[in-house]
Amino acid sequence: MNYHNITKDDMLNGEGLRVVLWTSGCTHCCDGCQNPQTWDVASGIEFDNDAKKEVFDALKPSYVAGITFSGGDPLHPFNREVVLSLAAEIKEKFPNKTVWLYTGFLWEELVNKIDLSNIDVLVDGEFVKELNDNNLHWVGSSNQRIINVKESLENNKVIHYCKP
């Protein structure tokens, strides 16, 4: 898997101060995307042990709420295995940190195909330029959903995330 950046102390991509891993590769190629440079899976740099250490070191401070996977699309087929494995490792090492994941795929396309149990909040749906609303929190267009994964899995239906 390749990535473009590891952002620290981010306040825009999920609740609280977060670490954000910006992955390479996206099949959605949404019109108006804010990160088209991340679409190519070969762009960026290889996510290696040094990058993994950087992520884990950035998660150590108690004031960091968790990690957000964004991109590109963290659930691009080339990224899924690494991202889901990394999410599991983060939940094991930092059980009180939250894991957010942005994807252009819909919940319904993912729920019975991949293990989402280590993701706390999934923001799903492609960015739709015509539905862009800068007043929305954590999403770019009004079709995107902020999903509480644990509650959605338990209830077998989409449960929207609400700030605690």
Side-chain angles (χ1 to χ4, degrees):
M1 175 181 87
N2 282 3
Y3 75 103
H4 275 260
N5 195 16
I6 299 169
T7 307
K8 297 159 186 99
D9 298 335
D10 180 282
M11 294 175 30
L12 301 175
N13 296 283
E15 192 163 35
L17 286 175
R18 311 191 66 73
V19 175
V20 182
L21 177 61
W22 302 91
T23 62
S24 299
C26 186
T27 58
H28 308 290
C29 303
C30 303
D31 184 30
C33 173
Q34 67 178 3
N35 298 318
Q37 70 277 12
T38 65
W39 292 352
D40 182 356
V41 294
S43 66
I45 55 177
E46 181 183 354
F47 188 80
D48 58 12
N49 286 330
D50 289 337
K52 184 176 176 179
K53 181 182 181 324
E54 183 178 346
V55 166
F56 278 81
D57 286 347
L59 285 166
K60 285 180 184 175
S62 61
Y63 63 83
V64 174
I67 188 165
T68 298
F69 295 98
S70 193
D73 194 326
L75 295 182
H76 183 286
F78 288 130
N79 299 334
R80 284 184 185 182
E81 185 178 336
V82 173
V83 166
L84 295 173
S85 175
L86 188 57
E89 198 173 338
I90 288 167
K91 288 306 271 184
E92 182 179 317
K93 186 167 177 115
F94 303 104
N96 297 321
K97 308 277 184 182
T98 58
V99 176
W100 284 52
L101 190 145
Y102 282 78
T103 183
F105 295 102
L106 295 174
W107 171 264
E108 292 79 6
E109 296 174 283
L110 301 169
V111 67
N112 293 318
K113 295 181 179 92
I114 65 172
D115 180 11
L116 296 170
S117 63
N118 293 302
I119 309 299
D120 295 295
V121 177
L122 181 84
V123 181
D124 82 337
E126 294 183 3
F127 172 76
V128 178
K129 189 176 183 178
E130 297 75 26
L131 299 176
N132 176 247
D133 184 344
N134 292 329
N135 295 314
L136 295 172
H137 207 60
W138 298 322
V139 297
S141 58
S142 60
N143 61 300
Q144 295 173 309
R145 300 177 292 184
I146 305 168
I147 299 170
N148 181 319
V149 173
K150 182 179 179 187
E151 287 187 24
S152 296
L153 291 172
E154 288 172 357
N155 290 283
N156 202 29
K157 66 178 183 176
V158 171
I159 305 292
H160 293 271
Y161 175 78
C162 298
K163 287 174 121 178

